[in-house]
């Protein structure tokens, strides 16, 4: 069974440009999560999508946005890139959780390393 | 808000040494607790988890016990191997607020020397 796949694996952009990162969840998973792993800052929750809707977002500016498609894959868009956006962006997927499956596990992809120069 | 504090690294041990990586958390209610591992160049893998007080999670010789009285979830292994070299993350989630929205600690880099 295929795991969570992310593309591209590496992305180099210039300050001010836009970056688009993609994530395909495990088959059958409807929830997708995005995390930022910046050097020295650990892993920070960015966004959570479930059934095509944004359910929650972390403490990030509006230039970080995304969407989830009908096939449950997801895109993360980062506009007006800044140098400090350079990080590893990890996507995770899970079965729908909340009160339905409170202890369901999230599976992570290998990440997209974004470098802003 | 919820937070996780884990032992700062890096940690360097010799093969077959005993490992402890401390993790404490701040959260209201009853979070689920996790240890994730990140091997070089790879994403995160779930190592073990515990969903209620006094639960012990275990996997690959690692174990951790959910201690509500001390709000801790320390990771231990009796005899480490070179292949255990990785970054270890302690994390919590409050499932009813959103499945696996995880709050992570800063990570602890572990290096095992032969």
């Amino acid at each position: 069974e295929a795991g969570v796949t992310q593309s591209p694996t590496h992305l180099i952009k210039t300050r001010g440009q836009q970056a688009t990162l993609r994530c395909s969840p495990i088959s059958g998973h409807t929830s997708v999560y995005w995390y930022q792993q910046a050097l020295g800052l650990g892993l920070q929750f960015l966004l959570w999508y479930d059934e095509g809707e944004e359910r929650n977002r972390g403490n990030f500016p509006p230039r970080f946005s995304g969407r989830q498609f009908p096939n449950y894959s997801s895109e993360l868009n980062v506009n007006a890139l800044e140098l400090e956006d350079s990080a590893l962006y990890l996507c995770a997927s899970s079965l729908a959780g909340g009160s339905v499956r409170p202890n369901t596990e999230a599976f992570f992809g290998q990440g997209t390393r974004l470098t802003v120069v | 808000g919820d937070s996780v504090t884990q032992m700062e690294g890096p940690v360097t041990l010799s093969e077959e040494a005993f490992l402890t990586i401390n993790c404490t958390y701040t959260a209201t209610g009853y979070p689920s607790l996790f240890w994730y591992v990140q091997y070089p160049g790879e994403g995160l893998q779930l190592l073990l988890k515990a969903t209620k007080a006094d639960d012990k999670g275990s996997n690959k010789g690692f174990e951790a016990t959910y201690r509500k009285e001390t709000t801790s979830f320390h990771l231990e292994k009796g005899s480490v191997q070179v292949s255990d070299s990785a970054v270890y993350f302690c994390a919590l989630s409050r499932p009813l607020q959103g499945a696996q929205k995880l709050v992570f600690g800063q990570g602890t880099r572990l290096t095992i020397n032969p």
Side-chain angles (χ1 to χ4, degrees):
Chain A
E1 179 185 321
V4 177
T5 57
Q6 293 187 243
S7 63
T9 53
H10 292 83
L11 188 59
I12 300 175
K13 292 286 187 178
T14 303
R15 195 169 56 180
Q17 285 188 313
Q18 178 195 42
T20 298
L21 289 63
R22 296 180 177 82
C23 173
S24 292
I26 289 171
S27 177
H29 286 187
T30 62
S31 277
V32 170
Y33 310 81
W34 287 95
Y35 291 85
Q36 182 195 64
Q37 187 177 19
L39 195 62
L41 294 177
L43 280 147
Q44 305 291 322
F45 168 74
L46 257 169
L47 289 160
W48 169 38
Y49 292 95
D50 185 65
E51 296 284 356
E53 300 284 332
E54 182 181 301
R55 301 295 184 185
N56 208 331
R57 68 180 288 130
N59 189 24
F60 282 84
R63 57 191 186 82
F64 287 83
S65 65
R67 54 181 172 168
Q68 186 178 34
F69 299 98
N71 66 354
Y72 303 114
S73 67
S74 177
E75 264 182 11
L76 173 69
N77 295 294
V78 188
N79 294 319
L81 284 165
E82 300 179 2
L83 296 178
E84 50 266 34
D85 296 333
S86 296
L88 180 68
Y89 289 85
L90 290 169
C91 172
S93 76
S94 75
L95 296 170
S99 58
V100 177
R101 297 185 186 88
N103 297 316
T104 188
E105 177 184 343
F107 294 83
F108 283 79
Q110 295 196 346
T112 293
R113 184 161 297 283
L114 172 64
T115 302
V116 182
V117 297
Chain B
D2 298 342
S3 67
V4 175
T5 302
Q6 64 181 100
M7 178 175 173
E8 282 196 35
V11 174
T12 303
L13 296 172
S14 298
E15 206 165 20
E16 299 183 4
F18 184 86
L19 169 71
T20 300
I21 301 178
N22 290 335
C23 171
T24 57
Y25 68 90
T26 301
T28 56
Y30 299 90
S32 295
L33 301 174
F34 307 84
W35 277 99
Y36 280 86
V37 58
Q38 187 175 33
Y39 297 104
E42 299 186 12
L44 294 177
Q45 298 175 27
L46 178 65
L47 182 59
L48 53 84
K49 67 178 183 181
T51 58
K52 60 183 188 294
D54 300 325
D55 264 4
K56 178 185 282 188
S58 61
N59 186 25
K60 300 181 181 180
F62 291 90
E63 56 183 37
T65 302
Y66 189 143
R67 301 284 188 204
K68 187 155 179 65
E69 63 276 14
T70 54
T71 61
S72 65
F73 193 55
H74 305 321
L75 182 69
E76 296 182 337
K77 186 174 185 182
S79 177
V80 292
Q81 305 300 313
V82 172
S83 57
D84 294 326
S85 298
V87 181
Y88 291 80
F89 292 91
C90 185
L92 68 81
S93 77
R94 304 231 260 140
L96 294 182
Q97 290 188 356
Q100 292 302 312
K101 176 187 168 185
L102 294 156
V103 176
F104 286 92
Q106 289 291 88
T108 301
R109 183 175 298 280
L110 173 67
T111 301
I112 307 299
N113 293 322

